[in-house]
Amino acid sequence: MPPDLPFLTRAWFAFACFFRVLVSGTFAGSVWRLQEAQPVPPPPAPAPVPLPAAPVAATPDPALQLLALLQREGRFVDFLEQDVASFSDADVGAAARVVHDGCRRALRSHTKLSPLRTEEEGARVTIAEGFAPDEVKLTGNVQGKAPFTGVLRHRGWRARDLVLPTMVKAYDATILAPAEVEL
Amino acid sequence: MSDPRYIIGIDLGTTHCAMAMALLPTGDDAKDTSPAVTAFPVPQLVTQSGMESRPLLPSCLYFAHASEGALALPWDKERTFAVGEYARTRGAESPTRVVASAKSWLSHTGIDRRGPVLPLGAPEDVEKISPVEASFRYLEHLGEAWDRDVAKGDKSLQLAAQEVVITVPASFDAGARELTAEAAAAAGIEHLTLLEEPQAALYAWIDARGDKWRKEVKVGDVILVVDVGGGTTDFSAIAAVDSGGSLELARVAVGDHILLGGDNMDLALAHVAARKLEEQGKEVDRWQMVGLTFACRVAKEALLNDASLASYPLSIAARGGKLIGGGLRTEITREELVATVIDGYFPVVEASARPAVRPRGGLTQAGLPYAQDAAVTRHLASFLGRQADAIAKVAGASPTTSGTLLHPTAIVFNGGVMKSPALRERIVSTLDAWLVADGAAPVRVLEGSDLDLAVARGAVSYGLVRHGRGLRIRGGTARAYYVGIESPAPAVPGVEPPVSALCVAPFGMEEGTNVDLPAHELYVVVGEKVRFRFFGSSVRRADVAGTELHRWKKDELAELAPIEVTLPAGARAEGDVVPVHLHAAITEVGTLRLEAVPTTALVAEERWKLELNVRGEV
């Protein structure tokens, strides 16, 4: 709240208020409530953001949770964090089998992956007008108007129904794998 | 108490549990429609703090160390043990804190099955539990999961108040069935029925085929159910018989309890791979052996399902963060798979082959009595040979040509191992060779149900059958039961006194029935525990209550855990000798109830219950 105002300022403010009370119903209402010594009601709280159906509070960080899952099932972080340059292809290949086997199992049991296009790669496809640009990316000599005809280079991927473990108690999502000490 | 609204089927498996459900038909429903049977995915801890709902609940129980804190579930934040997937993974990392295969312990007569024995070799801070309590813990978890996801606070919808059908191996004897019922009672289940697993598998097949099944099964068929799961192998024969012009199904024979399953096969392959690694000078530690066993299961399934693969690579990571370079690498070749799994566990044998029995070593550790012969086909030959006459006395059965073995006309597979076409094919071709040699036709394979969940779903179908939806498989008890009576004879050193066997419960007693008192009197002493030796037979079908056997063929009767009765002093004087008759009844639940009834009762309805499952002298 401003401190006590000098007389000239108050004279100008009274004059200004006179006209604003005349022309603005909202302003008039505010002054009326002030005059009745009632506090102005607070502005309405922002509408709550609708929550997804999944219990979000229980999954504080799905990205870290997914990373922990891939590490647990397929040693994903171990693999990326090791320098591959000094090892033979056979060694890297053997490790890749562990990662591939585990991560694939983890992904398949937690989400449904499917290609966006059913045609074989290399097939000629026609993209009709009104296609979704995030589903189909046009490359090469892109010009003119739909329908576009071209060669399918990549079928794309879509993940449906990603279901991650529900966290039952407070946990630190930044821990991707605990240290292990054998007794 | 409110009326149940659901039928719940629980497959309380050796390695995994599964649950399925259906709404109970109400009076308004048409008689010829049957409510749909659906599987219930079970929420369970998969990490220390993360929970997922999965179709199967691994039958493992893990006791957390105090330093770990609680293994919280949404319905219990303070819990210090876990059931399910997290318990299974911890079993590999910290095996002495984990109970697994509790069900196999439940049928092990060499231990006190109500005594705290599990986990074997547990550290001191773990409070050991009995096989019965372990089974109770799995049921408790399933109940809590159901109450959270279905009942949602409505007491009348809680699992304990619904109609529950729990499946047990057909080979479970009266004692193991009783203990399963005890575990269910501890979980508060009010309306319980027990069902044999192979029967559940057939109910599931019938449900999956819909109306078409009647075209595939005709009067005269004998359906063989071959159930090879993670830990046990179970056989049953079910005959399609004529009953006043309509078809009826009757379970006519069950096999012995065989501790042999897919886990044994994975372990056998892992030993093959470990031996190869050791020949290369590489060491395989315990932790890597677990990884190797798991990798071998993947390799086994891949090689069995794709005949074009010559080998399947195995890669076992080192335990530390250094993934590349430190691991073990080998492969399982097709020759090794054929030698180890197909020829090792399913060898082509003659119909006359029988499982080898090795004398047990003098210093055997306390452990499960695993099958001594790994060959499933030899166990099958033994089952069919022993049960050659199984359908001869079944009312309505078509007369069959007598042969040296039971002649199945159709086969239903169940259990995770039987998902493999190569193994099914091996069983079918071996069986066909036996049948053709014995003058019978080859079998038809009845296909079409999900082998992982079939037993739980079939249990629900059975629940619906009990409400008039579908055809019931008749069967009754799969064994006749006998009490051992020592005949008076002068003592001869080194010779056991002769024992005769008095039949107290005949083969094929139906639920809710009882038999007349046999005339034979036994004597018990008031105030003292009196024990009787107890026997079961899965082949002697003609004996009635009161039949006394003085001699029998070696494998006709199997000795079970002894039974015990204590007469409280009460109206009688301590030390009095009271003549009694033994009276048998099969309860509605499906358990055997034996009572001692005094020849002259002092008060009305005077009778004492006999305790099954007393620990045998080893």
Side-chain angles (χ1 to χ4, degrees):
Chain A
M1 287 294 278
D4 275 357
L5 299 169
F7 174 73
L8 279 177
T9 312
R10 295 209 304 274
W12 165 82
F13 190 57
F15 194 65
C17 286
F18 173 76
F19 283 102
R20 279 193 74 185
V21 167
L22 270 186
V23 300
S24 163
T26 320
F27 185 77
S30 300
V31 175
W32 185 263
R33 279 193 293 273
L34 202 62
Q35 177 266 152
E36 286 198 324
Q38 278 177 350
V40 181
V49 180
L51 295 176
V56 158
T59 54
D61 201 323
L64 287 175
Q65 235 190 315
L66 184 63
L67 206 51
L69 174 69
L70 295 177
Q71 163 66 14
R72 193 169 63 241
E73 301 283 331
R75 309 285 301 271
F76 187 64
V77 178
D78 288 342
F79 185 66
L80 295 188
E81 280 301 294
Q82 207 176 350
D83 177 30
V84 295
S86 58
F87 292 99
S88 68
D89 283 1
D91 281 339
V92 178
R97 286 193 192 281
V98 173
V99 177
H100 178 266
D101 183 52
C103 290
R104 171 187 246 198
R105 197 163 1 98
L107 269 188
R108 289 190 172 174
S109 58
H110 290 85
T111 182
K112 287 195 193 95
L113 296 176
S114 58
L116 279 166
R117 307 284 310 190
T118 51
E119 301 92 341
E120 288 300 310
E121 285 177 10
R124 288 200 76 75
V125 292
T126 302
I127 306 298
E129 201 173 343
F131 69 95
D134 44 0
E135 280 186 22
V136 179
K137 179 168 72 172
L138 301 178
T139 60
N141 184 19
V142 183
Q143 58 170 343
K145 284 198 291 186
F148 299 105
T149 303
V151 177
L152 183 67
R153 292 295 180 206
H154 193 289
R155 304 203 294 172
W157 288 112
R158 185 198 290 281
R160 279 186 207 278
D161 309 330
L162 177 67
V163 182
L164 290 170
T166 309
M167 300 324 288
V168 186
K169 60 178 180 184
Y171 85 114
D172 183 349
T174 61
I175 296 172
L176 301 179
E180 289 179 32
V181 179
E182 187 160 304
L183 307 181
Chain B
M1 202 176 74
S2 55
D3 287 336
R5 298 265 301 281
Y6 287 93
I7 294 171
I8 299 171
I10 296 177
D11 174 5
L12 197 58
T14 314
T15 54
H16 289 88
C17 299
M19 189 150 89
M21 59 181 182
L23 276 167
L24 260 172
T26 62
D28 306 334
D29 294 342
K31 270 279 174 225
D32 52 347
T33 61
S34 199
V37 179
T38 51
F40 175 85
V42 187
Q44 56 196 289
L45 281 187
V46 295
T47 64
Q48 223 253 343
S49 49
M51 190 184 77
E52 275 179 22
S53 290
R54 298 199 174 177
L56 298 176
L57 177 79
S59 308
C60 293
L61 177 59
Y62 168 66
F63 295 98
H65 185 256
S67 64
E68 278 179 81
L71 294 171
L73 285 165
W75 53 86
D76 185 357
K77 300 284 180 199
E78 305 299 322
R79 191 157 283 193
T80 56
F81 62 88
V83 171
E85 180 59 31
Y86 182 62
R88 195 181 68 81
T89 50
R90 285 301 277 167
E93 294 163 352
S94 190
T96 55
R97 308 188 75 89
V98 173
V99 177
S101 299
K103 185 177 174 183
S104 299
W105 290 100
L106 209 54
S107 54
H108 184 359
T109 52
I111 57 157
D112 177 2
R113 290 168 282 178
R114 293 190 186 92
V117 291
L118 302 175
L120 276 194
E124 278 180 6
D125 67 291
V126 171
E127 200 178 316
K128 289 192 175 190
I129 61 169
S130 68
V132 177
E133 182 174 350
S135 304
F136 153 68
R137 291 288 171 203
Y138 306 147
L139 290 172
E140 177 193 49
H141 183 97
L142 291 169
E144 290 166 342
W146 168 279
D147 293 350
R148 166 183 176 265
D149 288 355
V150 182
K152 294 182 178 139
D154 183 344
K155 268 205 167 327
S156 69
L157 293 182
Q158 284 183 348
L159 181 132
Q162 310 307 310
E163 281 196 23
V164 178
V165 179
I166 294 179
T167 61
V168 291
S171 50
F172 258 21
D173 64 33
R177 291 174 74 101
E178 166 104 3
L179 293 170
T180 306
E182 262 180 49
I189 293 170
E190 291 166 20
H191 314 279
L192 174 72
T193 312
L194 299 177
L195 174 68
E196 293 169 9
E197 284 159 14
Q199 288 192 40
L202 187 62
Y203 280 119
W205 177 79
I206 290 173
D207 186 55
R209 299 302 289 168
D211 292 336
K212 282 179 288 192
W213 79 271
R214 283 175 186 276
K215 294 199 182 75
E216 294 178 58
V217 175
K218 298 272 178 252
V219 169
D221 270 329
V222 177
I223 303 165
L224 171 68
V225 183
V226 175
D227 182 353
V228 186
T232 48
T233 292
D234 210 3
F235 304 119
S236 282
I238 295 165
V241 298
D242 177 64
S243 166
S246 60
L247 182 145
E248 200 171 67
L249 294 173
R251 196 267 289 106
V252 291
V254 303
D256 291 331
H257 200 61
I258 310 167
L259 291 188
L260 178 63
D263 291 358
N264 306 47
M265 297 167 202
D266 302 339
L267 199 59
L269 276 180
H271 280 292
V272 169
R275 207 160 50 236
K276 286 204 291 190
L277 286 164
E278 276 155 15
E279 279 165 15
Q280 298 163 22
K282 304 227 174 75
E283 223 174 283
V284 184
D285 65 25
R286 190 175 56 81
W287 190 80
Q288 285 175 319
M289 196 63 196
V290 172
L292 201 56
T293 309
F294 190 81
C296 283
R297 184 163 95 208
V298 176
K300 178 189 78 180
E301 283 164 9
L303 287 165
L304 284 173
N305 290 334
D306 183 353
S308 68
L309 287 179
S311 69
Y312 196 87
L314 304 177
S315 235
I316 309 306
R319 198 168 177 187
K322 302 269 180 294
L323 182 65
I324 309 167
L328 301 172
R329 208 164 60 208
T330 183
E331 59 174 11
I332 291 288
T333 64
R334 178 157 295 281
E335 291 72 49
E336 286 161 346
L337 174 94
V338 170
T340 311
V341 175
I342 303 185
D343 288 343
Y345 285 88
F346 301 89
V348 178
V349 295
E350 296 293 317
S352 56
R354 292 293 178 266
V357 181
R358 289 189 311 272
R360 293 208 178 260
L363 289 172
T364 40
Q365 250 188 317
L368 288 172
Y370 288 111
Q372 298 184 348
D373 193 316
V376 172
T377 40
R378 270 196 285 273
H379 288 286
L380 180 59
S382 165
F383 167 67
L384 294 176
R386 280 169 57 105
Q387 299 292 352
D389 302 324
I391 59 168
K393 296 203 172 66
V394 175
S398 314
T400 54
T401 51
S402 61
T404 58
L405 69 158
L406 179 66
H407 293 170
T409 58
I411 187 165
V412 169
F413 288 107
N414 191 50
V417 172
M418 290 289 101
K419 282 197 257 184
S420 157
L423 298 182
R424 292 203 297 265
E425 163 56 27
R426 171 55 68 92
I427 287 186
V428 170
S429 62
T430 308
L431 177 59
D432 282 350
W434 300 342
L435 290 173
V436 171
D438 210 38
V443 293
R444 306 187 311 277
V445 179
L446 306 180
E447 313 240 20
S449 53
D450 173 354
L451 302 195
D452 274 333
L453 298 174
V455 166
R457 301 179 75 104
V460 179
S461 295
Y462 172 65
L464 291 168
V465 165
R466 285 164 57 89
H467 286 272
R469 268 42 178 202
L471 189 67
R472 182 165 184 168
I473 302 172
R474 285 194 291 118
T477 52
R479 285 180 178 74
Y481 291 96
Y482 305 81
V483 170
I485 297 166
E486 282 183 17
S487 311
V492 180
V495 177
E496 277 188 48
V499 171
S500 63
L502 174 69
C503 182
V504 287
F507 194 98
M509 276 181 76
E510 301 267 359
E511 283 157 26
T513 64
N514 53 66
V515 290
D516 294 335
L517 298 180
H520 204 293
E521 280 181 345
L522 301 173
Y523 298 91
V524 293
V525 185
V526 175
E528 266 179 38
K529 264 186 197 164
V530 181
R531 277 191 173 194
F532 300 100
R533 290 173 72 183
F534 195 46
F535 300 86
S537 173
S538 57
V539 289
R540 294 193 63 97
R541 293 178 166 74
D543 297 342
V544 296
T547 304
E548 191 176 349
L549 309 176
H550 294 285
R551 65 185 76 233
W552 53 88
K553 290 196 202 106
K554 200 168 133 276
D555 59 351
E556 272 188 331
L557 257 61
E559 180 146 18
L560 310 172
I563 53 177
E564 200 173 76
V565 65
T566 309
L567 265 55
R572 296 169 190 271
E574 193 121 348
D576 272 6
V577 175
V578 180
V580 296
H581 299 283
L582 294 189
H583 175 247
I586 303 296
T587 64
E588 288 295 338
V589 168
T591 53
L592 173 68
R593 185 180 174 86
L594 279 179
E595 287 168 324
V597 182
T599 309
T600 46
L602 288 191
V603 290
E605 290 296 304
E606 193 180 27
R607 48 184 58 199
W608 303 277
K609 190 179 174 224
L610 272 87
E611 207 60 52
L612 306 180
N613 300 308
V614 178
R615 181 180 185 166
E617 274 118 54
V618 187

